[in-house]
Amino acid sequence: MFVVESICVAWFTLEFALRFFNAQSKLAFARGPLNIIDAIAILPYYVSLVVNVRDETQEEVIMGAGRGYLDKLSLILRLLRALRILYVMRLARHSLGLQTLGLTMQRSIREFGLLLLFVCVAVTLFSPLVHLAESELAPFAATHPHHSFSSIPASYWWAIISMTTVGYGDMVPRSIPGQVVALTSILSGILIMAFPATSIFHTFSRSYQELKQEYEQLWKEERGEEIAAESEESWSKVDLSPDELMPAAKQEDDRLMSSKSHQSTLPSTAF
């Protein structure tokens, strides 16, 4: 796996370097979101190589002292290695669906912010209600503490998974008032999720159509250039070269002059 990863990272590095040197504006290239993702995905490999070499050289020197520093360094290294999952984001350069998703998220920032606001308000509302219902009105919670809603912050988790209709089942209201609160929160979550979803869906559809038209227009332009190049190449093969064209033109002129002189020497016919 190390060999495979090394080959892939070498290829990605070469491709990134070539695109950087061929870019007209280096600053605009460095500010590109996809280029930043490429750099973040490539750098952990080289950082891990440097850190591993330093660890091997310092392992014999540092035996008992400085283990806290090495532990922190290994934690940072593991976090950097986790960033290698960003290799998948490179598919966005060649995938119309991922590009549409990114463009939709960029255009729907207000809708996502509105959705987050709705969810936060609803979670803040239903968490104290379910905590009050289960703590004061549910004797089952005292005998089974792992099902109890111990605090309002602990009830936030239940409110989030209930409003998003996930329902892991790790926290379940047992009392009738708690179940009523749960039913209300689930119905509210469905409505809250449905409100911005329509606008986001229309934005996704519009973005997909725009990108699809751009791809088709680009394909037509490239196809037209290929057809024009093929036609020019075919005409260049059929046409005579300038050296061959001059004698042929001179022979054609001589033939026309001889035909005119022959017509002038014919006797005129009297009517």
Side-chain angles (χ1 to χ4, degrees):
M1 292 300 298
F2 177 77
V3 174
V4 173
E5 183 181 8
S6 301
I7 294 174
C8 294
V9 171
W11 177 264
F12 292 157
T13 305
L14 177 62
E15 187 256 352
F16 184 83
L18 291 177
R19 287 193 292 109
F20 177 77
F21 290 126
N22 292 326
Q24 296 180 355
S25 176
K26 302 298 189 293
L27 183 60
F29 180 87
R31 290 179 178 178
L34 293 178
N35 299 327
I36 294 175
I37 292 175
D38 292 344
I40 295 175
I42 294 173
L43 286 178
Y45 174 80
Y46 297 103
V47 174
S48 63
L49 288 181
V50 174
V51 172
N52 287 333
V53 171
R54 291 185 60 184
D55 288 344
E56 290 178 359
T57 55
Q58 295 180 0
E59 185 177 2
E60 297 180 356
V61 179
I62 304 175
M63 295 300 294
R67 297 305 302 174
Y69 169 76
L70 293 179
D71 293 339
K72 294 180 181 179
L73 193 61
S74 63
L75 177 60
I76 296 174
L77 180 59
R78 287 195 295 270
L79 292 176
L80 290 175
R81 286 174 177 173
L83 293 177
R84 295 174 183 176
I85 194 65
L86 294 177
Y87 289 153
V88 182
M89 298 300 297
R90 295 177 58 85
L91 296 176
R93 297 184 180 275
H94 313 286
S95 175
L96 178 61
L98 291 178
Q99 291 180 5
T100 305
L101 179 61
L103 184 59
T104 303
M105 295 181 65
Q106 182 180 0
R107 291 180 175 179
S108 303
I109 294 178
R110 292 184 178 180
E111 286 78 5
F112 284 114
L114 188 63
L115 177 61
L116 182 61
L117 176 63
F118 287 164
V119 171
C120 291
V121 171
V123 167
T124 307
L125 175 64
F126 290 110
S127 296
L129 292 178
V130 72
H131 171 68
L132 177 63
E134 290 298 309
S135 299
E136 301 294 335
L137 304 175
F140 182 81
T143 58
H144 296 78
H146 60 280
H147 288 296
S148 62
F149 295 78
S150 58
S151 63
I152 293 178
S155 302
Y156 285 170
W157 172 248
W158 171 87
I160 292 173
I161 63 176
S162 297
M163 293 185 63
T164 54
T165 65
V166 176
Y168 288 121
D170 52 349
M171 299 176 67
V172 181
R174 300 292 179 176
S175 63
I176 300 298
Q179 294 175 356
V180 172
V181 174
L183 177 61
T184 307
S185 66
I186 292 172
L187 295 178
S188 301
I190 294 174
L191 294 177
I192 288 173
M193 294 297 173
F195 285 152
T198 305
S199 177
I200 295 174
F201 170 75
H202 287 301
T203 305
F204 180 85
S205 179
R206 185 172 64 253
S207 302
Y208 178 77
Q209 294 298 331
E210 292 177 1
L211 290 177
K212 187 177 181 181
Q213 291 177 0
E214 291 180 2
Y215 269 78
E216 291 178 354
Q217 184 68 23
L218 182 61
W219 182 82
K220 289 180 181 179
E221 292 178 357
E222 293 178 353
R223 185 59 180 168
E225 293 177 357
E226 291 179 359
I227 294 175
E230 291 177 358
S231 62
E232 291 179 358
E233 184 178 357
S234 62
W235 278 109
S236 63
K237 291 181 180 179
V238 173
D239 293 342
L240 296 175
S241 62
D243 297 336
E244 296 176 350
L245 188 60
M246 293 298 293
K250 187 176 181 180
Q251 292 178 3
E252 184 68 17
D253 294 339
D254 294 340
R255 187 180 64 81
L256 291 175
M257 293 295 295
S258 63
S259 63
K260 288 181 180 180
S261 62
H262 179 69
Q263 290 178 0
S264 62
T265 55
L266 291 176
S268 60
T269 303
F271 293 96

Coordinates of all heavy atoms in Angstrom, one line a residue, residues 223 225-235:
R223 N -15.4 19.7 -30.9 CA -15.7 18.9 -32.1 C -15.6 19.7 -33.3 O -15.1 19.2 -34.4 CB -17.1 18.3 -31.9 CG -17.5 17.3 -33.0 CD -16.6 16.2 -33.1 NE -16.9 15.2 -34.1 CZ -16.1 14.2 -34.6 NH1 -14.9 14.1 -34.0 NH2 -16.5 13.4 -35.5
E225 N -13.6 22.3 -33.8 CA -12.2 22.5 -34.1 C -11.5 21.2 -34.7 O -10.7 21.3 -35.6 CB -11.4 22.8 -32.8 CG -11.8 24.2 -32.3 CD -11.2 24.5 -31.0 OE1 -10.4 23.6 -30.5 OE2 -11.4 25.6 -30.4
E226 N -11.9 20.0 -34.2 CA -11.4 18.8 -34.7 C -11.8 18.6 -36.2 O -11.0 18.2 -37.1 CB -11.9 17.6 -33.9 CG -11.3 17.6 -32.5 CD -11.8 16.4 -31.7 OE1 -12.7 15.7 -32.2 OE2 -11.4 16.2 -30.5
I227 N -13.1 18.9 -36.5 CA -13.6 18.8 -37.9 C -12.9 19.7 -38.8 O -12.5 19.4 -39.9 CB -15.1 19.0 -37.9 CG1 -15.8 17.8 -37.2 CG2 -15.6 19.0 -39.3 CD1 -17.3 18.0 -37.0
A228 N -12.7 21.0 -38.3 CA -12.0 22.0 -39.2 C -10.5 21.5 -39.4 O -10.0 21.7 -40.5 CB -12.0 23.3 -38.5
A229 N -9.9 21.0 -38.4 CA -8.5 20.5 -38.6 C -8.5 19.4 -39.6 O -7.6 19.3 -40.4 CB -7.9 20.1 -37.2
E230 N -9.4 18.4 -39.4 CA -9.5 17.3 -40.4 C -9.7 17.8 -41.8 O -9.1 17.2 -42.8 CB -10.5 16.3 -39.9 CG -10.2 15.6 -38.6 CD -11.3 14.7 -38.2 OE1 -12.3 14.6 -38.9 OE2 -11.1 14.0 -37.1
S231 N -10.6 18.7 -42.0 CA -10.9 19.2 -43.3 C -9.7 19.9 -43.9 O -9.4 19.8 -45.1 CB -12.1 20.2 -43.3 OG -11.8 21.3 -42.5
E232 N -9.0 20.7 -43.1 CA -7.8 21.4 -43.6 C -6.8 20.4 -44.0 O -6.1 20.5 -45.1 CB -7.3 22.4 -42.6 CG -8.2 23.6 -42.3 CD -7.6 24.5 -41.3 OE1 -6.5 24.1 -40.7 OE2 -8.2 25.5 -41.0
E233 N -6.6 19.4 -43.2 CA -5.6 18.3 -43.6 C -6.0 17.6 -44.8 O -5.1 17.3 -45.7 CB -5.5 17.3 -42.4 CG -4.5 16.3 -42.6 CD -4.4 15.4 -41.4 OE1 -5.1 15.6 -40.4 OE2 -3.6 14.4 -41.4
S234 N -7.3 17.3 -45.0 CA -7.7 16.6 -46.3 C -7.5 17.5 -47.5 O -7.1 17.0 -48.5 CB -9.2 16.2 -46.1 OG -10.0 17.3 -46.0
W235 N -7.8 18.8 -47.4 CA -7.6 19.7 -48.5 C -6.1 19.9 -48.8 O -5.8 20.0 -50.0 CB -8.2 21.1 -48.2 CG -9.7 21.1 -48.5 CD1 -10.7 21.2 -47.5 CD2 -10.4 21.1 -49.7 NE1 -12.0 21.2 -48.2 CE2 -11.8 21.1 -49.5 CE3 -9.9 21.0 -51.0 CZ2 -12.7 21.1 -50.5 CZ3 -10.8 20.9 -52.1 CH2 -12.2 21.0 -51.8

